[in-house]
Amino acid sequence: MTDSWDTIADWYADLLQAGSAMHDFNRDVLLQHLPEELGGHRALDLGCGEGIIARALAARGASVVGIDPSPRMIEHARAVEASHPGTVIYSVDDGCVLSTVVADSVDWVTAGLSLNNVPDLDAALAAVRRVLVAQGSLVFTIPHPCFEAPYASWTQAADGAVRRVVGNYLTEGFWRSDNPDGARRAGNQHRTVSTYLTALVRHGFVLEAVTEPVPSAQVAAAQPQRAGLPPFLAIRARRA
Ligand SMILES: C[S@@+](CC[C@H](N)C(=O)[O-])C[C@H]1O[C@@H](n2cnc3c(N)ncnc32)[C@H](O)[C@@H]1O
């Protein structure tokens, strides 16, 4: 069977609920680009998965809707919500369409590690722009395209250090990791940094922040070979 986000949803939900240093770090990096206090704000979490980011937005006081095209992922998100004091509403929807979200209805769109999964970035940015209020912002993270390019791997250098080996950075498109323990066995859309940035500008967004975070102490402890490599690229862009 070929994996998809729906077929690996149980594995992904178990991974995050057991505590994943990398996903906790991703959530924290993304949240650093939003105000601490979100009372009175409306947020859409695009590609919410089992809800790690949606719940954190709700904990800051936002009223939050989470969407994901994987019905199984949404089942997990709703199950966690049922045992959680939060108020997040979840729907099955495609980030390239956002058919369940009204135009001009949210102050923030967050997308943690999900825009690198949408097949059509232009469609997703047009949909995000449609649902954001004027001056609303999109905050997203993606695996850093420079270091998480298709089939990037690790090698031991002559000095004993473990180094990242990257090829095919400029070759965009869908690829699937053959790592049976990796999330990207579900597939991933590789795009260059310039493709993301120029698409944002083309869709009328103004860049407010671009961040390449230093791995957290927890990530560095779990994966010391990642020292000096930002695992994610984080971007905040305002609807002009
Ligand atoms: C790596 S997970 C991230 C989930 C969550 N944001 C988190 O931080 O754990 C990627 C998510 O993108 C979702 N996804 C895939 N295609 C998508 C699409 N067309 N629109 C929106 N989300 C999509 C997947 O179903 C999956 O839940």
Side-chain angles (χ1 to χ4, degrees), residues 145-154 163-170 190 229:
C146 296
F147 311 112
E148 302 305 320
Y151 310 108
S153 60
W154 299 99
R163 305 226 186 272
R164 197 70 164 148
V165 179
V166 175
N168 295 333
Y169 171 74
L170 289 172
H190 176 67
L229 298 177

Side-chain angles (χ1 to χ4, degrees), residues 5 12 16 23 26 45-50 52-53 67-70 73 93-96 111-114 117-119 183:
W5 278 105
Y12 191 75
L16 267 61
H23 292 88
N26 175 63
D45 190 30
L46 183 157
C48 60
E50 59 74 64
I52 183 174
I53 291 166
I67 69 95
D68 200 287
S70 157
M73 209 67 99
D93 199 350
D94 181 346
C96 297
L113 307 179
S114 57
N117 286 287
V118 302

Side-chain angles (χ1 to χ4, degrees), residues 1 4-5 15 17 20 32 51 65-66 85 94 104 119 141 149 157 173 177 214-215 221-222 224:
M1 180 179 65
S4 67
W5 278 105
L15 177 75
Q17 281 154 37
S20 160
Q32 279 165 14
V65 171
D94 181 346
D104 301 318
T141 57
S177 165
V214 176

Side-chain angles (χ1 to χ4, degrees), residues 90-151:
Y90 291 104
S91 305
V92 175
D93 199 350
D94 181 346
C96 297
V97 184
L98 297 180
S99 62
T100 60
V101 190
V102 173
D104 301 318
S105 65
V106 293
D107 305 295
W108 300 95
V109 174
T110 53
L113 307 179
S114 57
L115 286 181
N116 56 299
N117 286 287
V118 302
D120 185 340
L121 182 63
D122 278 314
L125 291 180
V128 168
R129 187 180 165 84
R130 179 181 65 78
V131 302
L132 276 174
V133 298
Q135 307 299 318
S137 291
L138 165 67
V139 180
F140 69 94
T141 57
I142 49 175
H144 199 305
C146 296
F147 311 112
E148 302 305 320
Y151 310 108

Side-chain angles (χ1 to χ4, degrees), residues 130-232:
R130 179 181 65 78
V131 302
L132 276 174
V133 298
Q135 307 299 318
S137 291
L138 165 67
V139 180
F140 69 94
T141 57
I142 49 175
H144 199 305
C146 296
F147 311 112
E148 302 305 320
Y151 310 108
S153 60
W154 299 99
T155 189
Q156 187 141 28
D159 63 1
V162 178
R163 305 226 186 272
R164 197 70 164 148
V165 179
V166 175
N168 295 333
Y169 171 74
L170 289 172
T171 305
E172 297 193 321
F174 181 84
W175 69 283
R176 188 185 293 282
S177 165
D178 55 13
N179 176 0
D181 300 318
R184 278 178 294 169
R185 67 185 192 269
N188 183 67
Q189 300 282 347
H190 176 67
R191 302 180 180 98
T192 62
V193 173
S194 56
T195 289
Y196 280 102
L197 297 181
T198 53
L200 285 166
V201 172
R202 198 167 57 247
H203 285 272
F205 287 90
V206 174
L207 285 180
E208 293 189 319
V210 180
T211 313
E212 297 177 295
V214 176
S216 66
Q218 291 80 2
V219 168
Q223 300 185 51
Q225 72 277 20
R226 289 195 176 273
L229 298 177
F232 313 116

Side-chain angles (χ1 to χ4, degrees), residues 25-39:
F25 180 48
N26 175 63
R27 174 201 56 208
D28 295 346
V29 165
L30 191 148
L31 288 177
Q32 279 165 14
H33 293 79
L34 288 119
E36 286 288 334
E37 174 51 56
L38 287 171

